[in-house]
Structure formats: C-alpha cells, structure tokens
Amino acid sequence: MTARIIDGKAVAADIRQQVAAEVAAFQAQSGITPHLAAVLVGEDPASAVYVRNKQNACSKAGFKSTLHRLPAETTQDDLLKLVRELNADREVHGILVQLPLPKHIHEQAVLDTVTPLKDVDCFHAENVGLMVQGRPRFLPCTPHGVQQLLLASGTEVAGAHAVVLGRSEIVGKPMSMMLVQRGAAANATVTICHSRTRDLAQLVRQADIVIAAIGQPKFVTADMIKPGAVVIDVGINRVGEELVGDVDYEAVKEVASAITPVPGGVGPMTIAMLLKNTLTAARIQSGN
Ligand code: NDP
C-alpha cells in the first residue's frame, strides 16, 4: 500500500482564503482591521523566517501586522514592559512572542504576561485551562492544524487509538488533550509517549493514528507502523541542507494509509490557525 499524501499546503490555503473572506466581512461590519503584533528578540535566523512567514500570511489575509524587533541583549524587564504596552494597546488584537527567547529571559514569565484575550498562540494558563475543559477561547495553532488535517483527510478519529509522540506544552500535551475531547476530529483513545516511555515502538504499533512531535529526525520507522495507520508528522529537523520530519517518510508511506510530508504538511497549517485565532481575538475584543 502507498499512502495518500495529506497536502497541508492546499488545506492551509483553503483555510486562509476562508479567513480572508471573514476578515473582509468583519471589517465591513465593524470598521476594525484585526491586528497581530509579533515580537522577535535576537537574531535567530529560523525565528526570523517564521515571523516573516506569519506576517506575510497576515497581510495576504487582510490583517494588519506589526513587528517589534528587539536585540538579543534585551532585558526581561524591557520585554515585559513591551508586552504590557501591547496588552494595553486597543489597536492590537493578538500578540505573538516568537520562541525561543534568549537564555537569560524566563519564557514562562513572558508568556504569562500576555493578556489572555490577546494570547493567539494559546499558551496562557487561562486559555490552556479553558481548552482542557472543552470550552476553548483559542485553540493552540499546531495541534489545531493537525486536527484540521485529520478532518480534511477524512480520517475517522472517534474511537480510534491515537498515539502522540511528545509531551511539550506547545504540541504534544495540547494535542493529546484535544484528541480526547468530545467533538470533531476528536473522541479518540489517546496514548502519550515521551523520552521516558518504555516499549515505545510497541505502543506506536497499536496506533490507528500516529502524531509525531519529538524533534528527532526520521525516528518513526516503518516497522513501528500498523498497516493502514494515518501518520501526521509535526517534526521539523534540519539535517545538513535538508528539512526532515520525525518520521522516516519514504519507508512509512509504504505502510500507512495517509501521511503528511515535511515540508508541506503541518507547518503551513500552524500559520493558518494563527490567523483564525487573531480574527477570533479581534471579534472578542470588539464584543462581536
Ligand atoms: P520539545 O523539544 O519541546 O519536546 C519534544 C518532546 O519529545 C518531549 O516531550 C520529549 O520527551 C519527547 N522526545 C524527545 N526525544 C524523544 C525520544 N527519543 N523518544 C520519545 N520521546 C522523545 O519539542 P516541540 O514539541 O516544541 O517540537 C517537536 C517537533 O515539532 C520539533 O521538530 C519542532 O521543530 C516541531 N514543531 C513543528 C511545528 C510546526 O508548525 N510544524 C510547530 C512546533 C514544533 P521529554 O518530555 O521526556 O523530554
């Protein structure tokens, strides 16, 4: 069997088009242009590319976007001051602090300072709590993007055994929580694996849906995949000049029924879902 390729680029383009239409309608009705403020500290080239991509996507969808670029030696106090200014700025609806931050800055302290109503990454404890309780204000962008890919590919998630590799606050943990909720692309039975998991390969072999988010190039091999499973690869790893996922794509696609490529799978979805959250933030703040 050769797997169907789940085309994240195409699904993301559809969602972005839909968001652009909603932005135009919102603007016509309220006179408000949704505005995302991004904060980039330091010179990490990958982070600069991510922020630029997010800003380009914003402009194309009719959002206003501004970038606050700070030098690597910015103090935590100065960064917190900027975040508080953005919190108070009525013209700004969403705040994105690009991670990672330089080592001398306590990331959690910064993320905790973003006001929950503008927390379009859904990293604040209040928003995570609402999501876990099944009454989300925002959904975290990458896991939400994965769910949209499961929907778009017609994957039967309800009742399926989903194995999530990784338990980070950004991907693995919220992903698991979202899959176990009631609702669309959910109602799964979920196993979460991490670096301390015993017999990991054995667990992955039982999965109907595998979601790999560990940051280990080609870690998931064909012998770990149950024939016909759906495989979603969140990983982005630079190996030499090449970008590869956490899944050994060429081999696994011969066993799986559907699979996402890297690049062109989950990555574009993360940006599309960020746009959705920014529009939601503008709606909430305008009382709409
Ligand atoms: P983190 O490094 O924060 O977390 C990695 C998780 O994987 C941890 O829970 C860790 O376990 C687990 N892990 C690491 N090695 C192993 C192993 N050998 N066996 C089992 N578990 C392991 O990474 P992120 O969640 O932020 O990102 C994961 C990947 O996804 C990265 O490649 C990243 O670049 C990519 N990514 C892609 C995005 C996209 O838009 N496509 C967005 C965000 C991330 P433990 O907790 O025990 O240490």
Side-chain angles (χ1 to χ4, degrees):
M1 179 194 289
T2 298
R4 234 167 354 107
I5 311 304
I6 304 174
D7 184 348
K9 250 180 153 166
V11 178
D14 283 351
I15 292 175
R16 282 164 58 166
Q17 213 171 13
Q18 187 193 317
V19 173
E22 288 179 39
V23 168
F26 172 73
Q27 214 168 13
Q29 179 236 329
S30 67
I32 297 167
T33 303
H35 177 183
L36 177 71
V39 180
L40 176 61
V41 186
E43 303 298 328
D44 178 47
S47 294
V49 172
Y50 288 142
V51 168
R52 198 178 324 124
N53 289 344
K54 288 169 187 172
Q55 286 205 291
N56 286 343
C58 274
S59 314
K60 283 191 190 142
F63 291 82
K64 180 176 176 191
S65 83
T66 46
L67 174 61
H68 299 263
R69 256 200 120 131
L70 304 176
E73 56 279 9
T74 301
T75 63
Q76 179 164 317
D77 282 350
D78 282 346
L79 179 55
L80 292 179
K81 185 164 169 275
L82 171 62
V83 170
R84 290 195 189 101
E85 281 166 14
L86 295 173
N87 284 345
D89 186 341
R90 292 172 62 88
E91 304 272 298
V92 169
H93 305 103
I95 302 171
L96 176 156
V97 181
Q98 184 64 43
L99 303 180
L101 291 169
K103 294 257 179 298
H104 65 278
I105 296 178
H106 187 222
E107 270 181 11
Q108 198 63 55
V110 177
L111 300 180
D112 286 350
T113 302
V114 174
T115 185
L117 291 180
K118 299 188 181 184
D119 169 40
V120 288
D121 270 326
C122 195
F123 289 158
H124 194 284
E126 182 178 312
N127 289 324
V128 174
L130 288 170
M131 180 273 289
V132 170
Q133 290 188 343
R135 48 186 186 131
R137 178 185 283 142
F138 302 114
L139 288 170
C141 301
T142 301
H144 193 197
V146 170
Q147 272 191 320
Q148 294 300 312
L149 290 179
L150 292 171
L151 277 176
S153 61
T155 303
E156 181 68 47
V157 183
H161 181 200
V163 173
V164 177
L165 300 174
R167 58 172 166 182
S168 73
E169 304 299 334
I170 296 177
V171 191
K173 206 185 278 179
M175 183 79 255
S176 317
M177 288 299 142
M178 287 165 69
L179 289 169
V180 87
Q181 301 288 343
R182 294 184 174 84
N187 280 313
T189 301
V190 180
T191 300
I192 310 171
C193 297
H194 46 79
S195 67
R196 306 293 294 273
T197 299
R198 216 175 286 147
D199 295 333
L200 182 142
Q202 192 56 31
L203 289 166
V204 178
R205 263 192 287 275
Q206 294 169 31
D208 305 305
I209 300 169
V210 178
I211 297 175
I214 57 175
Q216 303 288 334
K218 300 187 182 184
F219 179 91
V220 177
T221 48
D223 61 313
M224 292 186 196
I225 300 297
K226 178 163 83 176
V230 172
V231 179
I232 308 285
D233 190 352
V234 181
I236 304 176
N237 310 289
R238 186 165 285 284
V239 179
E241 288 301 292
E242 213 193 342
L243 276 189
V244 299
D246 291 343
V247 174
D248 183 4
Y249 178 80
E250 288 304 327
V252 168
K253 81 175 177 8
E254 300 306 321
V255 187
S257 63
I259 188 168
T260 58
V262 177
V266 176
M269 295 301 294
T270 298
I271 296 182
M273 304 334 283
L274 174 73
L275 297 185
K276 238 180 171 356
N277 280 349
T278 305
L279 175 57
T280 302
R283 282 190 170 133
I284 293 172
Q285 286 160 66
S286 71
N288 188 316

